Amino acid sequence: MNSILQVNDLRVYFDTPRAIVKAVDGVTFDIKTGERFGLIGESGSGKSTIALAIMRLVRAPGRIESGEILLDGENLLTLSDQEMRRRRLNKVAMVTQGAMNSLNPVIRIRKQFADGLESHGVNLSNEEMGERLADLLARVGLKPNVANMYPHELSGGMKQRVCMAFAISLRPSLIIADEPTSALDVVVQRQVMQTLRQVQEDLGSAVILIGHDMGLMAQFASRVGVMYAGKMVEEGPVRQMFNRPEHPYTRLLMESLPSLEEKEALVGGKGSPPSAADRPRGCVFHPRCPYVMDHCIDVEPVYRQVHPNQFAACHLHDPEVVSKAVALSPVEEARK
Ligand code: SF4
């Protein structure tokens, strides 16, 4: 299957008075046409910054330092601002956690859609607009009368669906959903995720779902990428990765999931992610890793294939390193 998106060695930095913060530091991945890809990681791992970079919405003091973002073969980073504006919604659209707050509470949904489409060069007659809007609302499970309502008359879940309808209005080939359900209660979360899946299947668009909820990822995505401290540390088919995580950080994420069968105490990850302005050298995960070796402290691991379609950045997958390295367990050794 062809790739709709290829992100190559992407680096997004923020210039701060104290240091250059490397929010995304050399990330490479691709998304196939119509694929559901999950991007998972703790807060500050860089996953939302990747989304902003794809949309070309990184604002100062942030900047895209280097890399390539190829959408359908076209490098978005070389487009003019005007060309990029035309690609948004047409080719790539984003739904965020706060998307529903972007609706103007005192303007009817229909008018907001018409204004939005007009700003993308789509001018429809009243009748055409009515039909288009009814179709879009139906796709996200809303009745046509929602078009005549004000946002303040809608629940959070309904508003999020309206935003989803807007995101798909020009049938983009890629939809980025950045924690689209975090502000909603669990039942509504499930409904919104079902809607997103339905829309994805109807349109055949690829979706990048960004979040930290492993359960949600397992249900939605066919492939996942795990981010840690600005780097992609593991990537692979969702079932394969959940059954056999190969990076110690992914393993910790799995172990921290509650289980109905096992009644043992939950295992939490030791420590917390490093400050973005002061990342450890060598492997960025080494201060928290239960398998840390002397080699990990100075040398950054190569991102390599560890199983068919599964990749990880960890020295444990380099037999030569493992044969010579000295284990530094417990973890505290690594902090010396
Ligand atoms: Fe742990 Fe070393 Fe692998 Fe990093 S490279 S995850 S420190 S074993």
Side-chain angles (χ1 to χ4, degrees):
M1 203 183 281
N2 291 338
S3 293
I4 186 69
L5 179 78
Q6 285 173 275
V7 174
N8 296 324
D9 201 19
L10 179 67
R11 290 167 202 272
V12 186
Y13 295 174
F14 287 76
D15 298 308
T16 70
R18 284 183 159 200
I20 294 177
V21 172
K22 298 179 177 177
V24 176
D25 195 14
V27 169
T28 296
F29 65 100
D30 73 333
I31 314 276
K32 309 279 178 262
T33 304
E35 186 180 31
R36 293 188 301 274
F37 183 78
L39 207 47
I40 196 161
E42 288 165 296
S43 299
S45 59
K47 50 196 192 321
S48 294
T49 308
I50 290 179
L52 291 175
I54 297 171
M55 296 298 290
R56 284 261 309 268
L57 292 173
V58 176
R59 298 281 175 249
R63 61 188 157 87
I64 297 176
E65 165 72 12
S66 61
E68 267 186 342
I69 299 176
L70 303 174
L71 182 63
D72 219 357
E74 179 178 59
N75 189 356
L76 298 182
L77 302 186
T78 59
L79 298 180
S80 67
D81 289 349
Q82 197 186 8
E83 286 168 329
M84 187 61 214
R85 248 194 312 277
R86 281 201 291 267
R87 301 303 182 275
R88 290 190 203 110
L89 219 58
N90 260 309
K91 292 248 176 186
V92 54
M94 181 154 84
V95 183
T96 62
Q97 175 183 346
M100 56 190 179
N101 300 326
S102 65
L103 294 170
N104 189 325
V106 292
I107 298 180
R108 291 185 201 273
I109 300 295
R110 181 191 172 97
K111 170 91 173 101
Q112 297 197 45
F113 263 74
D115 291 349
L117 291 181
E118 249 175 62
S119 71
H120 285 83
V122 181
N123 295 299
L124 301 174
S125 67
N126 255 347
E127 195 181 339
E128 286 167 334
M129 186 64 214
E131 282 169 17
R132 172 80 75 100
L133 194 44
D135 172 60
L136 288 168
L137 292 172
R139 284 182 189 276
V140 296
L142 294 174
K143 298 202 170 119
N145 66 337
V146 169
N148 295 320
M149 295 171 80
Y150 292 99
H152 71 80
E153 297 177 282
L154 306 176
S155 68
M158 289 169 87
K159 278 192 271 192
Q160 205 58 335
R161 284 176 199 220
V162 166
C163 292
M164 224 178 266
F166 187 60
I168 61 166
S169 55
L170 297 182
R171 305 178 76 95
S173 11
L174 175 66
I175 301 167
I176 302 172
D178 187 359
E179 311 225 24
T181 59
S182 301
L184 305 171
D185 69 54
V186 193
V187 176
V188 183
Q189 254 183 28
R190 191 181 157 81
Q191 291 165 348
V192 171
M193 288 311 298
Q194 281 170 342
T195 306
L196 182 60
R197 186 170 185 140
Q198 190 60 50
V199 160
Q200 184 267 335
E201 284 173 1
D202 286 353
L203 301 187
S205 309
V207 173
I208 302 178
L209 174 65
I210 295 173
H212 52 262
D213 184 330
M214 302 288 275
L216 216 57
M217 286 291 167
Q219 284 171 16
F220 182 83
S222 53
R223 208 156 55 89
V224 285
V226 178
M227 293 282 302
Y228 184 81
K231 299 196 180 278
M232 183 82 83
V233 294
E234 187 163 5
E235 180 197 335
V238 72
R239 277 182 192 280
Q240 193 171 310
M241 272 202 27
F242 278 44
N243 289 333
R244 190 158 58 159
E246 294 291 4
H247 191 282
Y249 175 62
T250 317
R251 265 180 240 165
L252 275 182
L253 286 180
M254 301 299 165
E255 284 165 10
S256 62
L257 279 178
S259 158
L260 283 178
E261 285 84 41
E262 289 168 29
K263 305 286 182 212
E264 288 160 24
L266 279 178
V267 182
K270 291 185 180 70
S272 45
S275 147
D278 188 20
R279 296 262 157 85
R281 60 203 165 89
C283 170
V284 279
F285 189 57
H286 84 250
R288 298 174 75 188
C289 181
Y291 309 100
V292 64
M293 302 171 281
D294 56 350
H295 198 71
C296 309
I297 293 172
D298 292 316
V299 183
E300 189 175 341
V302 173
Y303 193 60
R304 68 180 74 223
Q305 182 159 350
V306 291
H307 299 298
N309 304 316
Q310 191 171 347
F311 300 81
C314 174
H315 289 308
L316 291 173
H317 296 283
D318 184 338
E320 204 181 323
V321 169
V322 173
S323 67
K324 293 183 192 151
V326 177
L328 294 177
S329 195
V331 177
E332 282 66 32
E333 286 288 324
R335 299 198 180 102
K336 286 182 179 172

